[in-house]
Amino acid sequence: MLLAETTTGLDTGDTAWLLASTALVLLMTPGLALFYGGMVRTKSVLNMIMMSFVSIAVVTVVWLLAGYSLAFGTDAGGWGLIGSLDHLGMAGITPSSLTGHVPTVLFATFQLTFAIITAALISGAIADRAKFGSWVAFTAVWTLLVYVPVAHWVFAPGGWILSKLGALDFAGGTVVEVNCGASGLALALLLGPRLGFRKEAMRPHNLPLVLLGAGLLWFGWFGFNGGSALGANGLAASA
């Protein structure tokens, strides 16, 4: 995310594009639900789909209460490890607050959709192997203890990976893909293989759903990548 260092007022074109991008990224989570749901056996479809959908609700609550503040708030301690609680419960953020040329509440919501899809992506690594209630608890804890700190390291101006190493993560290659990939692997190793693995047939039950989900993910990625420019400009077009 390229955060502007100075604020020169609201840009309606940038705001309109980020509004559209936010909707596109949110659409990726239902798309992921269909993609994963079509890949599992019939008995696991409801569980698989709801693991993605409940991530929307759970991550939203965590993000609005403390996640956004800890990820994008003023760096606490100056070490680049975590943000402050200045915006706990979105305190101090009004409709007129700006981040760059867009409303801060819109920027926070755009970032929320990234957190949601990242958590939901992990569910594919544990298909058929987790109780729904346990997944709900895991999603809340993981978002706060894993996603939020990494987002601060990479996306926030004071984060150590950005400010000290100079690494640039334009659209979440580290915060989203590497983060959820490593977490999914760790969780899969912890839970072990599915019962009957390599002994029973575990064919995808609905390939059209898989294709539909993949199409929605592809469509949503235009907002995922293009929206990360935080403006309607050449950088967004290139992405």
Side-chain angles (χ1 to χ4, degrees), residues 15-37:
T15 300
W17 168 237
L18 197 59
L19 281 166
S21 296
T22 300
L24 286 170
V25 181
L26 183 60
L27 181 65
M28 294 178 73
T29 300
L32 185 73
L34 295 176
F35 180 81
Y36 281 168

Side-chain angles (χ1 to χ4, degrees), residues 155-183:
F155 285 158
W160 71 272
I161 291 181
L162 176 61
S163 62
K164 292 180 172 59
L165 299 184
L168 176 62
D169 185 343
F170 178 71
T174 305
V175 180
V176 178
E177 276 80 16
V178 173
N179 201 3
C180 73
S183 299

